Amino acid sequence: MKSGGLTVDLASAFDASPNPYVLLTPDLRIAGANQAYFDVTNSTRDAIIGRPLFSAFDSGPGSEAPENVRQVQASLERARDTRQRDHLPLVKFSMAKRLDDGSQAFEDRYWSATHTPMLDEAGEVVFILQHTTDITELQRLREGRVLSERASALDIMLGGAVLGRAEQVQEDNRRLEGERNRLIDMFMQAPGFVAVLTGPDHVFQMHNAAYAQLIGHRDITGKPIREALPEVVGQGYYEFLDSVYATGEPHEGRASLVQLQRSPGALLETVYLNFIYQPIRDASGAVVGIFVQGHDVTDAVRSTERQKLMIDELNHRVKNTLATVQSIAMQTARSHADPLTFAEGFQARLLALSHTHDLLTRSHWEGADLGDILQHETEAHGSHRVSVNGPRVGLAPAAALSLGMIFHELATNAAKYGALSAPDGRVLVDWSLADQTRPRLQLVWREIGGPAVSQPVRKGFGSRLIERSVRHDLAGEVELHYAGDGFAATFSIPLDREQGS
């Protein structure tokens, strides 16, 4: 992948750069560093990651003044507080080095430091990148030039040549720094989620704002994935990462389901992802980490599922509409012997049926009242034959649409097989609200005066639609009762699930 390849180069360049880099959190703790930084500070990743910058190292035998530490801290704080890059031209630090006999000694070195704040989409500082350049030789040359005004012309020429080479190296380093900063900006601002994991335990080294949003803005830097995302256990993703690290072969997922806990103590949320895990290799070709890149496609997946359901429902609804029209015609014919009055009654009922479709369309976007939906879905069968009793209940668009489908299905089945298929049959609908703090709709649909009913041998599309709509779309419960004296259905549906939809 092109974008993946770019980030693989970024990760490799970061670790292969001859200049030391260290990534700090806003409270100046070490979040990451490259190999050059570990080498020059004679430290290891395990020893310093997560520790405050100024307590992570032995400062040596007093060769560096506390003022120098304050200078570095002040520069870092300026970069963090102003959100602007801050440059420290010269600072002296004593660096530990290992002697041939195994003992440790300290050597004064001069450094030029650049501190670059890294911002998230909201403009808040999430990291500070410290890039240091060793200018010890350049500084000593400058000091030497001040002290050696009487040096020979050859010495001056030689010193100038060395100084020129040092300055050229600095210029090259500044150019590389600019390129790296641009790459980091691209990484952090990428629209899809990206992260860099290192080692066989898949420790988070870097991740962008989109990844933080995906997982609920948890503190994961420096943590192995099994500790950072414990709820993912048993979902296969740890194993995918282990396989990529062991084999060096990338792994790609399409519309892959993962359940994440996006806030402490919250229930798991189902998310669908398109993603790729790509190995990151060192100079020898060995896998040292994994680059994670992808997109949250939850909305697209759910839209596709809903579209399929709607197409199935449309096909089924066309058949039901034809059956409803036939039922309306038969019921109207029973009570209107005169052709003229038959036509008027028949036309009125067909108009009520079309109004139901209009109401459903409006409720899909604006919401609707439960009683209005129920009235429009049953009016075509005769308002005097359906008794409704309950308070006004405002429904969010999705809930209104789902309940409209359910009432239409119940009314159609009642007209085809139940109480509304008999001359004296009636439907009684009662509802109430329970628990005002977390309101829950309790509704009973009961048919009386119709033909005897019995438990169906197999479950039809209508029953499946009702049960799926209640349990999946409305997160509620439904029971269908096939008693000998008439069909009944009881519903229990939470109404706080979609408030504000």
Side-chain angles (χ1 to χ4, degrees):
M1 291 291 180
K2 184 175 181 180
S3 60
L6 175 61
T7 306
V8 170
D9 292 341
L10 167 63
S12 300
F14 180 65
D15 214 39
S17 173
N19 292 319
Y21 287 91
V22 61
L23 198 64
L24 305 170
T25 60
D27 60 352
L28 306 187
R29 291 180 176 272
I30 299 174
N34 70 344
Q35 189 58 47
Y37 188 87
F38 295 130
D39 293 340
V40 78
T41 57
N42 194 28
S43 61
T44 64
R45 184 180 304 278
D46 292 339
I48 67 172
I49 294 297
R51 296 187 60 191
L53 176 65
F54 300 109
S55 66
F57 306 102
D58 186 348
S59 61
S63 60
E64 64 204 27
E67 178 61 25
N68 289 4
V69 174
R70 288 196 291 270
Q71 289 176 0
V72 174
Q73 183 171 349
S75 177
L76 286 164
E77 290 174 348
R78 278 196 302 273
R80 177 193 65 196
D81 298 340
T82 66
R83 296 176 174 81
Q84 299 292 325
R85 186 175 298 168
D86 194 83
H87 184 65
L88 195 61
L90 180 68
V91 63
K92 182 175 74 172
F93 273 88
S94 182
M95 310 304 297
K97 67 176 183 178
R98 187 72 59 184
L99 301 179
D100 294 339
D101 61 2
S103 62
Q104 181 174 271
F106 288 84
E107 176 185 11
D108 287 343
R109 306 292 295 181
Y110 294 88
W111 304 87
S112 174
T114 299
H115 300 131
T116 304
M118 301 173 65
L119 310 180
D120 60 16
E121 292 181 355
E124 298 298 324
V125 177
V126 291
F127 292 108
I128 306 170
L129 180 68
Q130 183 189 77
H131 167 215
T132 52
T133 303
D134 189 341
I135 59 171
T136 303
E137 300 305 325
L138 178 62
Q139 179 63 20
R140 288 174 180 170
L141 283 171
R142 288 172 175 167
E143 293 174 351
R145 290 178 66 183
V146 173
L147 297 174
S148 61
E149 292 181 356
R150 295 176 296 175
S152 66
L154 179 61
D155 289 338
I156 294 174
M157 291 175 61
L158 179 60
V162 173
L163 181 60
R165 287 196 298 272
E167 291 175 342
Q168 181 61 47
V169 169
Q170 274 199 291
E171 180 60 31
D172 291 343
N173 287 336
R174 282 194 292 269
R175 187 178 67 255
L176 289 173
E177 177 194 1
E179 293 174 356
R180 168 165 175 72
N181 288 338
R182 285 193 294 273
L183 289 172
I184 289 177
D185 288 343
M186 292 173 60
F187 179 95
M188 298 304 295
Q189 298 174 18
F193 61 82
V194 288
V196 174
L197 313 177
T198 59
D201 294 329
H202 318 303
V203 177
F204 281 95
Q205 294 302 311
M206 298 176 67
H207 65 286
N208 71 344
Y211 196 96
Q213 181 179 5
L214 174 69
I215 64 171
H217 299 281
R218 283 178 262 186
D219 180 14
I220 60 173
T221 302
K223 296 180 180 179
I225 193 168
R226 286 173 168 83
E227 177 185 345
L229 305 176
E231 72 272 24
V232 184
V233 63
Q235 299 187 48
Y237 293 90
Y238 299 157
E239 292 75 12
F240 294 152
L241 289 168
D242 292 340
S243 175
V244 173
Y245 193 88
T247 65
E249 295 294 328
H251 175 85
E252 184 174 6
R254 291 286 180 182
S256 296
L257 185 153
V258 61
Q259 292 188 309
L260 296 172
Q261 187 181 48
R262 289 179 154 178
S263 59
L267 297 176
L268 294 179
E269 294 185 34
T270 297
V271 180
Y272 294 91
L273 307 175
N274 286 349
F275 70 93
I276 186 168
Y277 294 155
Q278 295 189 100
I280 300 175
R281 302 179 185 273
D282 61 15
S284 67
V287 176
V288 295
I290 295 175
F291 171 66
V292 178
Q293 187 268 336
H295 295 272
D296 184 344
V297 294
T298 303
D299 290 343
V301 170
R302 287 178 176 167
S303 177
T304 300
E305 290 178 346
R306 187 172 187 83
Q307 183 181 43
K308 184 180 183 303
L309 176 64
M310 292 297 290
I311 291 173
D312 289 343
E313 165 61 14
L314 178 61
N315 292 332
H316 184 66
R317 214 163 227 260
V318 168
K319 297 177 182 178
N320 278 353
T321 299
L322 294 175
T324 300
V325 171
Q326 183 180 23
S327 174
I328 291 173
M330 293 175 63
Q331 293 176 48
T332 306
R334 291 194 189 104
S335 57
H336 296 81
D338 179 48
L340 180 60
T341 58
F342 168 81
E344 292 175 351
F346 185 60
Q347 183 179 13
R349 289 181 176 181
L350 287 183
L351 189 60
L353 183 63
S354 69
H355 287 167
T356 299
H357 287 270
D358 291 340
L359 181 65
L360 283 174
T361 300
R362 291 197 301 273
S363 70
H364 180 65
W365 297 104
E366 302 170 4
D369 177 71
L370 173 65
D372 292 341
I373 295 174
L374 191 56
Q375 177 185 354
H376 278 270
E377 283 295 349
T378 59
E379 190 173 15
H381 304 285
S383 58
H384 64 286
R385 304 187 66 189
V386 180
S387 300
V388 297
N389 180 39
R392 290 190 65 84
V393 178
L395 298 174
L401 182 62
S402 295
L403 283 171
M405 292 180 179
I406 291 168
F407 293 150
H408 175 85
E409 193 63 38
L410 289 171
T412 300
N413 287 344
K416 290 167 63 177
Y417 313 113
L420 299 182
S421 68
D424 299 323
R426 295 182 61 201
V427 174
L428 308 178
V429 186
D430 297 278
W431 69 89
S432 61
L433 290 177
D435 190 353
Q436 294 300 319
T437 58
R438 300 190 65 182
R440 195 172 188 91
L441 174 66
Q442 307 287 353
L443 184 144
V444 178
W445 172 289
R446 186 160 55 93
E447 300 180 16
I448 61 175
V453 297
S454 60
Q455 184 78 27
V457 177
R458 64 180 183 84
K459 187 177 296 185
F461 179 83
S463 298
R464 294 198 304 272
L465 173 68
I466 292 172
E467 293 177 349
R468 187 184 188 284
S469 296
V470 172
R471 290 168 182 160
H472 183 271
D473 296 339
L474 301 174
E477 300 172 359
V478 59
E479 293 184 5
L480 305 180
H481 308 280
Y482 297 90
D485 57 348
F487 170 80
T490 59
F491 300 84
S492 179
I493 299 169
L495 295 182
D496 62 339
R497 183 169 180 259
E498 295 190 43
Q499 291 302 318
S501 295

